[in-house]
Amino acid sequence: MKEIELNLTNSVLQGPLEVPGDKSISHRSVMFGALAEGKTTIRHFLKGADCLSTIDIFRKLGVEIEETEDEIIVHGNGWDGLKEPVEILDAGNSGTTTRLLLGILAGRPFHSVLIGDESIAKRPMDRVVVPLKNMGAQISGREDGRFTPLAVKGTTLTATHYELPMASAQVKSAIIFAGLQAEGETVITEPLPTRDHTEKMIEQFGGEMTRRGNEIIVKGGQVFNGTDIYVPGDISSAAFFLVAGAIAPNSEIILKNVGLNPTRTGIIDVMKNMGANMEVLSEDSKGEEVGTVIIRSSELQGIEIGGDLIPRLIDEIPIIALLATQASGKTIIKDAEELKLKETNRIDAVVNELTKLGAKVEATDDGMIIHGNQSLTGGRVTSYGDHRIGMMLAVASLIASGPVAIENIEAIAVSYPQFFEDLTSLIQ
Ligand code: S3P
């Protein structure tokens, strides 16, 4: 396991930056490209470990995928272009790959086996397996299909009307992929809106879907056509620099080409509500929204974060917790029990590691309470093998009074392989 010692106390951050492509959109662009007929060219694809796992799996499923310096080219042959794999499909650390793939494989007429790393082996897959089985899927696995390894025997699926018990774009998307292969109309009801990249991509690839209030309706038997996709910068990666720019002294960071899909911009709403010195400049775009976000050193106040904001910033909660240590007053994060089921238990990880750096943070059943105006100290911390915890701790080192040693930093390559180079490029 690699570790790094960061000595960045009182660094000033200045300059422009373009963060890597969006992880959620990168995964989906390869999936739809593989299922479509003809060529799909993807620009600004995230070459992080998770999305590379998705590419590797689709190659094992018989899809030709070329990788050049700045493009991924997928040669799709339609749904029937996927073939029974000879090898086990390994999703690595990627929950999105595992869950969305189950929805695709459930309806393909062949056998496949899906595994992932130690973290994936602990994450609940029954949230996808149970509704897929209700559509006729034949999936078996450890603890009755609750965990990987999972085996899928593809079969004919029937359309469903499924009410999601939790706000999860991964579960929603898995059922959409199954519904696209089922006869008839599948209707999915969401308790709260979650990221809608799958729905947008259906349209970008020439398919159809309908939104009716909190329902998403897809018809089976759709044929997709290959297309050109530009992946905007990942707002979940930009979030680390939004917080870094707000808490570091005399700083100004200009983040270009950031994805501004409204289902993902909770971090911007929260930072504005906390008083951040931030400007958002939206640009004209086809498909996913993009723009420039400028952040400057800010005076912040604590707030309460919960309800329908949570799915719009679920992956940003670790870095928001760090931000809240620098605000005046208390910040309460609630309705976020899903954090316990991420790459690691992110409530425990944030509370344990920020406490080691001298912060006052308390875990609650569904979130945490962060006390503001905290001076952080140096110390030895761990990422728990979770990319977002690792990056949050690296940003914490900017305001820690001493060096911060972070264990297990290789996890950061899951979503942001060049994170340290980008951070260093901004330091004056
Ligand atoms: C994702 C959905 C979210 C998010 C994850 C990516 C996606 O997970 O946390 O990083 O691409 O659909 P859930 O659907 O489990 O909330």
Side-chain angles (χ1 to χ4, degrees):
M1 274 196 305
K2 273 209 303 203
E3 71 171 61
I4 193 168
E5 185 176 272
L6 297 171
N7 220 327
L8 300 177
T9 312
N10 282 330
S11 297
V12 170
L13 303 176
Q14 296 269 349
L17 183 67
E18 186 172 353
V19 297
D22 188 277
K23 180 157 77 68
S24 296
I25 300 174
S26 294
H27 283 300
R28 288 159 170 82
S29 62
V30 170
M31 292 176 181
F32 277 99
L35 298 172
E37 317 229 323
K39 182 168 132 181
T40 290
T41 304
I42 310 165
R43 286 181 301 126
H44 203 234
F45 180 84
L46 169 62
K47 290 188 182 176
D50 270 13
C51 301
L52 295 177
S53 297
T54 295
I55 289 188
D56 178 60
I57 285 179
F58 279 92
R59 283 183 174 148
K60 289 190 171 126
L61 288 166
V63 181
E64 188 196 336
I65 303 176
E66 291 173 72
E67 214 180 307
T68 71
E69 179 77 1
D70 46 15
E71 281 177 353
I72 300 291
I73 303 159
V74 186
H75 298 275
N77 279 311
W79 290 89
D80 293 331
L82 300 195
K83 303 290 177 215
E84 187 165 71
V86 176
E87 290 171 81
I88 288 175
L89 308 175
D90 187 350
N93 190 243
S94 178
T96 306
T97 309
T98 313
R99 297 198 176 114
L100 272 58
L101 204 67
L102 285 170
I104 294 173
L105 296 175
R108 295 297 80 217
F110 53 72
H111 171 264
S112 51
V113 178
L114 194 52
I115 59 162
D117 69 4
E118 266 172 43
S119 153
I120 282 293
K122 291 186 203 139
R123 299 181 66 183
M125 295 303 154
D126 47 342
R127 51 180 50 203
V128 177
V129 169
V130 170
L132 289 177
K133 278 187 173 171
N134 286 337
M135 297 174 78
Q138 294 180 19
I139 305 175
S140 58
R142 192 164 49 96
E143 291 193 23
D144 207 17
R146 202 161 128 69
F147 298 110
T148 57
L150 293 161
V152 186
K153 174 87 189 74
T155 184
T156 307
L157 302 173
T158 45
T160 188
H161 189 147
Y162 189 62
E163 230 171 274
L164 288 175
M166 74 294 283
S168 165
Q170 291 180 354
V171 179
K172 170 177 69 175
S173 301
I175 299 164
I176 290 178
F177 277 121
L180 286 168
Q181 302 176 73
E183 206 174 294
E185 216 175 59
T186 288
V187 182
I188 303 160
T189 311
E190 293 194 281
L192 294 172
T194 62
R195 65 192 68 195
D196 61 357
H197 307 302
T198 306
E199 296 91 306
K200 286 203 153 147
M201 221 167 256
I202 289 178
E203 290 171 337
Q204 280 173 287
F205 278 84
E208 275 174 37
M209 66 96 214
T210 316
R211 282 192 190 85
R212 200 168 51 205
N214 57 352
E215 288 180 344
I216 294 125
I217 303 147
V218 286
K219 281 204 187 79
Q222 296 196 37
V223 175
F224 299 116
N225 300 312
T227 188
D228 291 344
I229 298 283
Y230 168 76
V231 182
D234 197 329
I235 189 166
S236 298
S237 297
F240 296 100
F241 294 101
L242 291 176
V243 169
I247 62 181
N250 307 315
S251 296
E252 182 185 72
I253 307 175
I254 301 155
L255 291 155
K256 297 189 167 160
N257 282 327
V258 179
L260 294 176
N261 179 318
T263 62
R264 298 284 299 281
T265 48
I267 175 86
I268 290 178
D269 297 351
V270 159
M271 288 186 72
K272 283 189 170 163
N273 284 340
M274 291 177 82
N277 186 347
M278 179 190 264
E279 272 173 67
V280 180
L281 312 165
S282 305
E283 284 148 31
D284 278 347
S285 58
K286 280 192 275 161
E288 294 277 346
E289 297 84 344
V290 287
T292 296
V293 186
I294 306 170
I295 182 72
R296 304 186 186 89
S297 310
S298 306
E299 293 275 323
L300 303 157
Q301 302 97 47
I303 58 167
E304 197 172 301
I305 304 168
D308 57 6
L309 248 181
I310 296 296
R312 296 180 55 233
L313 49 64
I314 187 72
D315 291 338
E316 288 64 78
I317 292 177
I319 194 67
I320 289 172
L322 173 67
L323 181 73
T325 66
Q326 304 307 299
S328 61
K330 218 164 49 179
T331 293
I332 299 171
I333 298 174
K334 56 178 200 175
D335 306 323
E337 48 278 270
E338 279 288 311
L339 288 177
K340 297 178 186 167
L341 303 171
K342 296 294 174 188
E343 285 82 333
T344 189
N345 177 334
R346 286 187 177 156
I347 297 181
D348 288 351
V350 165
V351 171
N352 293 345
E353 301 317 286
L354 284 180
T355 304
K356 287 184 193 163
L357 298 179
K360 265 177 73 185
V361 192
E362 295 157 46
T364 61
D365 279 349
D366 65 347
M368 57 191 100
I369 299 170
I370 306 120
H371 298 270
N373 285 331
Q374 301 287 308
S375 327
L376 301 192
T377 61
R380 168 170 289 274
V381 287
T382 174
S383 74
Y384 295 82
D386 182 325
H387 53 131
R388 301 198 198 282
I389 301 295
M391 288 187 273
M392 180 275 283
L393 294 167
V395 175
S397 77
L398 295 167
I399 48 164
S401 58
V404 175
I406 311 171
E407 294 166 0
N408 205 346
I409 50 140
E410 54 272 60
I412 291 175
V414 154
S415 65
Y416 205 152
Q418 67 270 42
F419 174 75
F420 286 109
E421 285 93 314
D422 284 359
L423 178 61
T424 313
S425 77
L426 295 170
I427 295 176
Q428 294 307 294

